[in-house]
Amino acid sequence: MRKALPLLALAILSSGNALAASPSVGTAAVPFLLLPAGAREVALGGTGVAASEDANAMLWNPGLMAKNRHNSATFMHSAYLENSMYDFAAVNWKLDDRQALGVSAQYFSAGKINSTDDAGQDIGTIRPYDIAVSAGYSRIIGGWGLGVSGKAIQSKIINTAKTFAMDLGVSPPELLDGRLRLGAAYTNLGAKIRYNSVDEKLPAAIRLGAGYKLTQGLTLSSDIALPNAGKNYITLGAEMGLPVGGDMGAALRAGYSTQ
């Protein structure tokens, strides 16, 4: 029965195939807020709600920040579609064994885009971009990791639009002698963002995750993502830790996303 529990937890998450088959209705603005970040989490197919173990928790689940063992910092630069790019940076400070603070920044540039008037005449170029800056706090209470972060969002196409949002995260006490970790997060809760006179909703999403240490070196993970715009999807990841020597280590990772 003890061996069946972690497999059951991952099976429940994998049952998100049924959810992934039913799309959510509508679209949302500033979809860059849903782009994955963190080399480890991206390599695991986009799983991080229960698996994130460093400053990347600011993006995936702020409830994990207080459970991270050390202070950490992370930076990611990604060349994206066409000439666009995506950057993410975060820092996690441990205040003590039960509390942590975090800050992060997301930046998406659409690159240089040729612009025309109503008659089709070239009127130069525009450089649309989106940016979000977040600050968060996490605390462990009775074994539960709880976290909240607030973010300021700015989006520029021709004119500039601004709004605020927040993320909520929770990480229950670990199960099965610490081998099974669960997590849940509700991200991008906030007011709509206004472009000129048009209000657009933010890309809010509920994420549920599980991570299980199958052996000392092998960890399996899975997330279900339920966005308010676009299709629901699931992600699966596997990580094999490899000792290199001393305090150094390496890892082999693989992931899959139904997205």
Side-chain angles (χ1 to χ4, degrees):
M1 180 63 181
R2 289 173 63 86
K3 293 182 178 180
L5 284 174
L7 298 179
L8 177 61
L10 291 178
I12 292 173
L13 289 178
S14 297
S15 69
N17 265 326
L19 295 173
S22 60
S24 301
V25 178
T27 59
V30 290
F32 85 106
L33 292 173
L34 292 181
L35 290 178
R40 179 172 181 265
E41 291 82 357
V42 172
L44 293 174
T47 65
V49 177
S52 189
E53 296 180 348
D54 53 25
N56 291 311
M58 268 291 291
L59 179 73
W60 295 94
N61 181 355
L64 292 175
M65 291 193 299
K67 289 191 173 183
N68 291 337
R69 297 180 180 179
H70 309 288
N71 297 331
S72 61
T74 182
F75 173 74
M76 185 194 81
H77 171 76
S78 175
Y80 214 62
L81 304 176
E82 297 294 336
N83 61 347
S84 62
M85 66 177 188
Y86 176 52
D87 294 327
F88 175 78
V91 177
N92 193 143
W93 289 289
K94 293 282 291 183
L95 300 178
D96 52 41
D97 290 340
R98 294 182 174 273
Q99 300 180 91
L101 296 175
V103 294
S104 68
Q106 295 165 263
Y107 176 76
F108 180 82
S109 171
K112 185 169 63 175
I113 299 176
N114 293 328
S115 180
T116 60
D117 59 19
D118 293 339
Q121 298 297 314
D122 187 1
I123 57 174
T125 60
I126 58 175
R127 295 178 180 271
Y129 71 87
D130 300 307
I131 186 170
V133 178
S134 305
Y137 172 77
S138 177
R139 184 180 180 91
I140 298 175
I141 301 177
W144 289 73
L146 307 175
V148 59
S149 66
K151 64 180 68 174
I153 304 165
Q154 179 172 298
S155 177
K156 182 177 181 181
I157 301 177
I158 296 176
N159 298 316
T160 300
K162 300 178 181 180
T163 191
F164 294 92
M166 65 185 302
D167 296 344
L168 304 174
V170 59
S171 175
E174 287 72 16
L175 304 172
L176 302 178
D177 298 324
R179 289 181 296 162
L180 178 62
R181 174 183 279 188
L182 304 176
Y186 200 161
T187 59
N188 305 319
L189 300 170
K192 294 182 177 181
I193 187 168
R194 170 165 291 193
Y195 294 94
N196 293 332
S197 59
V198 179
D199 290 334
E200 300 283 352
K201 65 182 179 182
L202 298 179
I206 296 174
R207 287 191 172 100
L208 309 173
Y212 177 67
K213 292 184 179 180
L214 189 62
T215 66
Q216 183 63 30
L218 178 61
T219 300
L220 305 178
S221 56
S222 180
D223 283 2
I224 296 177
L226 312 173
N228 66 347
K231 292 183 178 181
N232 304 327
Y233 59 94
I234 64 171
T235 61
L236 302 170
E239 177 181 53
M240 173 65 75
L242 303 173
V244 174
D247 293 331
M248 299 294 292
L252 296 176
R253 301 179 179 121
Y256 174 77
S257 172
T258 64
Q259 193 180 26

